[in-house]
Amino acid sequence: MTAYGLLVSPSHNRVYAQAAADLVKAELAVFSERALGGRVRDVEETAIGGVPYVTFSADELTEQDVRLLSNLSSLYALFQIEGELLRPVALQPLDLFGSDLLTIQKYSGKTNEYFTKLLLNVTAMATDSPMDLITGRPRVFDPMCGRGTTLNQAMMYGLDAAGMDIDGKDFDAYVAFLKTWLKNNRLKHQAEVTNVRREKAVLGRRLHVTLGASKELYKSGETMEITVVNADSLGAGRFFRPASFDLIVTDAPYGVQHGSRPKGGQPGRRGGPQLSRSPVELLTAAVPEWARLLRPGGAVGISWNTFVGRREQLAEILASSGLDVRDSDAYRGFRHRVDQAISRDLIVAAKPSG
């Protein structure tokens, strides 16, 4: 067995930084259970030279193992521990672009980008082919994408991604951000916003972007696609084909700053219906529709505020749509405090492949 030390990335968010070590320990446990054959052991927080590390032991890591571990959400550096010495392990992350793709957007209610990456990672680990995260090209869908943090993380990984959001202001903000970011980074791309029509009625607006990580890749046709629809995700099947996504990843509204969904109308209209504080109503209605978009063997991951919905409620919603909830100890280590009104957790379920 070889000992390793993982240095956790510093976070600008003080509260998240306090939880980061525990979260990456849980994430590492999921990686071990689902993709590394349980070979990662003795995961704990250890001080080395007065600096906190997450340490673990494992059989000699293969190159593919290192490629996977290089994408741990809060990983800053990885070392092999040899007595009192630390030998750096060369990382091989999937990242195609600079970190500004994830960090440049600043707005109230933005999901921490480290947590977004974690949620995407542990959802990918729940599929029937977890190593596809680094050896394949799973397609990602965020049915409540807001201003696109999940889509940006998928793009960072080189994955095709799609999102939906009912908020027109968030849609416009993401269109403006992405077009500006692509232009400033001089990436070859095509971006178009169109109305989606059925029988002459406008169902929503759609942003469709085709881009290449380099000019050479773009010219050769090795591109990725980002699609965002400004419409209610309860109607996701009107915009996307069944079984067209490998991963469905979303951060459910917390029922604090903005409700999860209006009871009987569009959000934000003056004098309109009151918003529900619980994501349970929204997920009860939406998960069956989302599940139809998930391919067999794929997985869905949802984070939510435990103060306004119990884990057992979400598990029942997922199970009633034919999904198998991942409920091992590894998947139960992610609950953490966001602020006084929000205690965040995540739940992941897979669609049976048989």
Side-chain angles (χ1 to χ4, degrees), residues 97 155 179 181-191 209-225:
F97 307 109
M155 189 163 67
K179 285 185 174 181
W181 186 87
L182 291 167
K183 182 179 179 181
N184 289 346
N185 284 271
R186 300 182 179 180
L187 292 172
K188 293 287 290 183
H189 67 279
Q190 291 182 333
V209 178
T210 303
L211 70 141
S214 68
K215 292 181 180 179
E216 293 73 23
L217 289 173
Y218 186 85
K219 289 180 180 179
S220 68
E222 296 183 50
T223 58
M224 64 188 80
E225 295 187 355

Side-chain angles (χ1 to χ4, degrees), residues 44-120:
E44 58 187 7
E45 189 171 351
T46 307
I48 301 176
V51 177
Y53 285 75
V54 171
T55 56
F56 60 95
S57 58
D59 296 331
E60 193 73 26
L61 296 177
T62 67
E63 181 178 353
Q64 184 160 281
D65 295 339
V66 173
R67 286 183 61 203
L68 178 65
L69 294 175
S70 295
N71 300 290
L72 286 164
S73 60
S74 292
L75 173 64
Y76 186 71
L78 180 65
F79 300 92
Q80 184 174 320
I81 301 173
E82 300 177 356
E84 296 183 352
L85 301 179
L86 300 179
R87 183 184 298 276
V89 176
L91 301 179
Q92 304 175 53
L94 291 168
D95 296 359
L96 293 177
F97 307 109
S99 61
D100 63 322
L101 173 60
L102 303 172
T103 60
I104 197 170
Q105 287 180 293
K106 306 291 184 185
Y107 55 90
S108 177
K110 178 184 177 182
T111 305
N112 183 288
E113 54 267 18
Y114 289 118
F115 182 77
T116 298
K117 185 176 182 179
L118 181 151
L119 180 59
L120 178 58

Side-chain angles (χ1 to χ4, degrees), residues 256-272:
V256 178
Q257 292 182 335
H258 47 80
S260 60
R261 178 181 173 77
K263 297 179 180 178
Q266 297 290 328
R269 289 180 178 172
R270 184 171 297 176

Side-chain angles (χ1 to χ4, degrees), residues 36-302:
L36 301 176
R39 290 183 290 117
V40 173
R41 303 172 186 173
D42 308 318
V43 180
E44 58 187 7
E45 189 171 351
T46 307
I48 301 176
V51 177
Y53 285 75
V54 171
T55 56
F56 60 95
S57 58
D59 296 331
E60 193 73 26
L61 296 177
T62 67
E63 181 178 353
Q64 184 160 281
D65 295 339
V66 173
R67 286 183 61 203
L68 178 65
L69 294 175
S70 295
N71 300 290
L72 286 164
S73 60
S74 292
L75 173 64
Y76 186 71
L78 180 65
F79 300 92
Q80 184 174 320
I81 301 173
E82 300 177 356
E84 296 183 352
L85 301 179
L86 300 179
R87 183 184 298 276
V89 176
L91 301 179
Q92 304 175 53
L94 291 168
D95 296 359
L96 293 177
F97 307 109
S99 61
D100 63 322
L101 173 60
L102 303 172
T103 60
I104 197 170
Q105 287 180 293
K106 306 291 184 185
Y107 55 90
S108 177
K110 178 184 177 182
T111 305
N112 183 288
E113 54 267 18
Y114 289 118
F115 182 77
T116 298
K117 185 176 182 179
L118 181 151
L119 180 59
L120 178 58
N121 284 346
V122 299
T123 304
M125 292 299 100
T127 68
D128 60 357
S129 301
M131 291 303 290
D132 276 358
L133 182 64
I134 60 170
T135 62
R137 194 171 173 180
R139 191 170 183 232
V140 179
F141 177 52
D142 183 347
M144 296 184 288
C145 66
R147 299 192 188 185
T149 307
T150 301
L151 308 182
N152 292 342
Q153 180 58 59
M155 189 163 67
M156 179 72 85
Y157 277 173
L159 306 178
D160 295 329
M164 291 189 72
D165 204 276
I166 198 170
D167 192 314
K169 290 183 178 179
D170 281 349
F171 176 84
D172 291 336
Y174 187 63
V175 170
F177 162 76
L178 190 55
K179 285 185 174 181
T180 301
W181 186 87
L182 291 167
K183 182 179 179 181
N184 289 346
N185 284 271
R186 300 182 179 180
L187 292 172
K188 293 287 290 183
H189 67 279
Q190 291 182 333
E192 184 180 24
V193 176
T194 57
N195 287 330
V196 181
R197 299 178 182 272
R198 296 286 188 278
E199 299 176 354
K200 298 182 180 180
V202 176
L203 301 183
R205 294 181 292 162
R206 176 189 283 126
L207 166 69
H208 185 76
V209 178
T210 303
L211 70 141
S214 68
K215 292 181 180 179
E216 293 73 23
L217 289 173
Y218 186 85
K219 289 180 180 179
S220 68
E222 296 183 50
T223 58
M224 64 188 80
E225 295 187 355
I226 306 296
T227 303
V228 186
V229 174
N230 176 207
D232 192 333
S233 70
L234 284 178
R238 306 174 77 180
F239 301 92
F240 301 103
R241 295 190 304 275
S244 56
F245 296 103
D246 303 284
L247 305 174
I248 297 178
V249 178
T250 199
D251 190 25
Y254 297 148
V256 178
Q257 292 182 335
H258 47 80
S260 60
R261 178 181 173 77
K263 297 179 180 178
Q266 297 290 328
R269 289 180 178 172
R270 184 171 297 176
Q274 294 297 309
L275 293 174
S276 166
R277 288 181 57 83
S278 171
V280 175
E281 293 178 23
L282 168 61
L283 295 174
T284 299
V287 167
E289 180 77 0
W290 302 347
R292 284 188 282 272
L293 303 182
L294 192 63
R295 71 160 179 84
V300 55
I302 301 170

